[in-house]
Amino acid sequence: MKLHHPEAKLANNSSKLVIYGAIAANVVIALLKFTAASFTGSSAMISEAIHSLVDTGDGLLLLLGIRRSRRPADATHPFGHGRELYFWTLIVALMIFAVGGGVSIYQGISHLRNSEPAGDPTWNYAVLAGAFLFEAISWGIAFREFRHSRQEGLGLIQSMHRSKDPTVFTVMCEDSAALAGIILAFLGVWLAQMTGRPVFDASASVLIGILLAGMAVFLAHESRGLLVGESVDLEKLDDIRRMIEADPAVSRAERPLTMYLSPLEVLLNVDLNFASGLSVEQLELAVDRIERNIRRKYPEITRIFIEASALRMEHRARSAKAGAVALKPRAENWH
């Protein structure tokens, strides 16, 4: 299913801009780090190079997720493919945990067991300074886009939890971890140089791995919630219910049921009790009016299903009454 309002295209373009910026930065940084690691043999630098390489692959997976999520609905996927984006975000988290975190920890432990003095750290310092600059630029692009969608009064972590577009905050988390990893790598290289003990360099590699694993667990948790099927926030649900019950044709509305199909596509199902005595034409006008009012305020609600409890009960009552009338003549014949 394609998104049906202008914000969808803008959101996709913004997300792609953030990812393209991150991929470009990570490719350059990975090449610089691998070059420095080949000259110095620094364990922390090798871990950082692997980290940047994984981040590059993650950016490509997020682009794949965006592309696949925009495929139209078909017979086997009547609600579209929007949640593919959440699936590929989960894959990104698993890659960070297994490849980024796992390899970095393994690299550090290997160097702890067989520690050898590193070469001239000048390459490391130069590359880390350049990497920090590129990562800071990428982080700034991601944060600017995330700030536009951030709700006022919410903290950074809470805003990430409330966000339904995982692409931007995934890139921002990756860049944040990259900046922290660069600082850890710098401290490891510097302490190893000052003390002459390569154990600090290897320990920095282990800490970078733990940092990546922790970030991956956070991203996996957020992606899992979206993939399983999250509802809109409670405040919005209450507002939708008030809007529906404000319609003169509605006597009562049950609590709406919602689920995100993609960052800007929401499915809404609500059970209503309409006022008695309404004609079929009045009911049709009421349903159209309710759907129009909801979409006007919440354009991300693209699919609305309204069930009418009162109409079902009235239909059953009429069917039962008609059945009783039909059976009565037969009962008289038995006498």
Side-chain angles (χ1 to χ4, degrees):
M1 178 202 302
K2 294 184 178 180
L3 303 179
H4 298 292
H5 50 94
E7 291 182 10
K9 188 174 181 180
L10 294 175
N12 277 331
N13 290 338
S14 298
S15 298
K16 286 184 177 180
L17 175 64
V18 172
I19 297 171
Y20 284 136
I23 290 175
N26 285 318
V27 167
V28 175
I29 294 169
L31 291 174
L32 291 175
K33 289 176 179 177
F34 274 118
T35 301
S38 66
F39 280 100
T40 64
S42 168
S43 175
M45 187 58 66
I46 294 174
S47 295
E48 275 298 292
I50 294 172
H51 178 188
S52 296
L53 190 63
V54 170
D55 285 352
T56 302
D58 292 343
L60 295 174
L61 287 177
L62 289 176
L63 288 177
L64 176 64
I66 291 176
R67 181 178 179 180
R68 292 182 65 86
S69 69
R70 298 182 68 182
R71 291 184 299 166
D74 53 39
T76 56
H77 298 85
F79 294 110
H81 298 78
R83 291 167 76 177
E84 281 247 22
L85 183 59
Y86 303 146
F87 168 77
W88 289 106
T89 305
L90 181 61
I91 297 299
V92 165
L94 295 176
M95 279 193 60
I96 295 172
F97 184 87
V99 182
V103 173
S104 294
I105 293 173
Y106 173 79
Q107 182 73 23
I109 293 175
S110 296
H111 277 71
L112 283 173
R113 291 177 175 177
N114 305 290
S115 58
E116 297 179 0
D120 184 2
T122 304
W123 272 91
N124 290 338
Y125 293 138
V127 169
L128 288 174
F132 193 90
L133 176 62
F134 281 109
E135 290 289 3
I137 293 173
S138 177
W139 185 90
I141 295 173
F143 181 74
R144 183 184 63 185
E145 295 300 328
F146 180 73
R147 186 177 57 185
H148 289 164
S149 61
R150 181 179 175 182
Q151 298 183 29
E152 295 184 4
L154 296 180
L156 187 63
I157 301 299
Q158 192 175 7
S159 295
M160 289 183 183
H161 180 68
R162 289 285 189 93
S163 175
K164 307 305 176 185
D165 185 355
T167 53
V168 175
F169 74 71
T170 295
V171 172
M172 193 171 69
C173 284
E174 287 182 343
D175 290 341
S176 299
L179 291 172
I182 290 171
I183 294 173
L184 288 173
F186 171 81
L187 291 175
V189 172
W190 181 74
L191 288 172
Q193 180 190 10
M194 292 295 101
T195 63
R197 300 179 61 186
V199 64
F200 288 105
D201 181 61
S203 298
S205 179
V206 174
L207 291 176
I208 291 170
I210 294 174
L211 172 68
L212 293 176
M215 185 197 66
V217 170
F218 171 76
L219 291 177
H221 173 74
E222 294 299 322
S223 300
R224 180 195 63 81
L226 293 168
L227 189 59
V228 170
E230 278 192 9
S231 169
V232 302
D233 57 78
L234 296 179
E235 294 84 358
K236 189 177 294 186
L237 282 177
D238 291 337
D239 186 47
I240 292 172
R241 186 175 184 177
R242 285 193 296 268
M243 289 174 57
I244 295 173
E245 291 186 335
D247 192 277
V250 177
S251 61
R252 187 174 181 274
E254 301 296 332
R255 189 170 188 82
L257 304 176
T258 59
M259 182 174 63
Y260 274 90
L261 302 175
S262 77
L264 288 174
E265 287 183 293
V266 176
L267 169 70
L268 168 65
N269 185 84
V270 61
D271 197 354
L272 306 183
N273 284 313
F274 285 101
S276 60
L278 296 177
S279 65
V280 174
E281 183 180 0
Q282 288 174 319
L283 288 171
E284 291 178 349
L285 291 173
V287 170
D288 290 340
R289 185 169 58 247
I290 291 169
E291 292 184 352
R292 187 168 57 251
N293 290 337
I294 292 173
R295 289 195 174 100
R296 183 184 297 116
K297 188 169 184 179
Y298 300 109
E300 68 272 20
I301 300 180
T302 56
R303 291 184 177 271
I304 301 176
F305 295 91
I306 295 178
E307 299 181 30
S309 298
L311 293 180
R312 289 197 303 269
M313 293 175 63
E314 184 176 350
H315 175 72
R316 290 171 184 170
R318 289 178 178 177
S319 298
K321 184 177 180 180
V325 171
L327 288 173
K328 187 174 181 181
R330 297 180 183 177
E332 290 175 352
N333 292 335
W334 293 343
H335 294 288

